[in-house]
Amino acid sequence: NLLASLMVALTSFVVAKRVLPPRRQISPSSGHASRDLLLRMSASLGLVFVLTSLADKLGPVLSGFLTPFPIATAIVAAFTQVESGPDAVVSYFHGFVPALNSFAFFCFVLSWGLGRWNLVLAVAAALSAQLLIQGFNLWRMTRGPRIHP
């Protein structure tokens, strides 16, 4: 059931947000942007290569499931940990988890729309829903600092 799947996803994001440790003040990173970018690109390339090499064995559903979040999330979290420490990773996840709401709505609207509209309209509606949710999330996150000392 599409609606039940959306509700389970949204509920899991609420639970994830509540079990995260509180955000703390983080110090600015020393910054090795050019070197870090090359390392991040190499790490992404390696993970994508492994995943695409296993795609035939995993099948399209599992490959699609593993592609977006584990790769991007693992790389950003790992490099954030190395560069700025665990408090920065916690802060990253405080921003990442609410952003998953918009992805869930994108998938919901796209799945619902594909049976009713052509592909272009379904994707446009899904992107519009995602942008609205992301805009709302951004507005909520920037209303004021919520950093615990």
Side-chain angles (χ1 to χ4, degrees), residues 40 44 70-82 89 92-93 96:
R40 289 175 195 224
S44 297
I71 289 177
T73 305
I75 290 168
V76 172
F79 277 87
T80 301
Q81 167 76 23
V82 168
V89 176
Y92 162 70
F93 279 110
F96 181 75

Side-chain angles (χ1 to χ4, degrees), residues 20-32:
L20 280 173
R23 288 190 309 173
R24 301 198 185 286
Q25 187 70 36
I26 56 175
S27 59
S29 64
S30 60
H32 298 96

Side-chain angles (χ1 to χ4, degrees), residues 2 9 22 30 38 41 48 67 70 76 84 112 117 125 127 139 148:
L2 193 56
S30 60
L38 183 59
M41 287 171 36
V48 169
T67 300
V76 172
S84 302
W112 184 84
W117 308 316
L127 284 172
W139 173 78
H148 304 286

Side-chain angles (χ1 to χ4, degrees), residues 60-106:
V61 173
L62 190 53
S63 295
F65 175 76
L66 292 173
T67 300
F69 296 114
I71 289 177
T73 305
I75 290 168
V76 172
F79 277 87
T80 301
Q81 167 76 23
V82 168
E83 176 126 344
S84 302
D87 290 335
V89 176
V90 169
S91 187
Y92 162 70
F93 279 110
H94 273 278
F96 181 75
V97 170
L100 291 173
N101 289 331
S102 69
F103 181 69
F105 275 100
F106 172 87

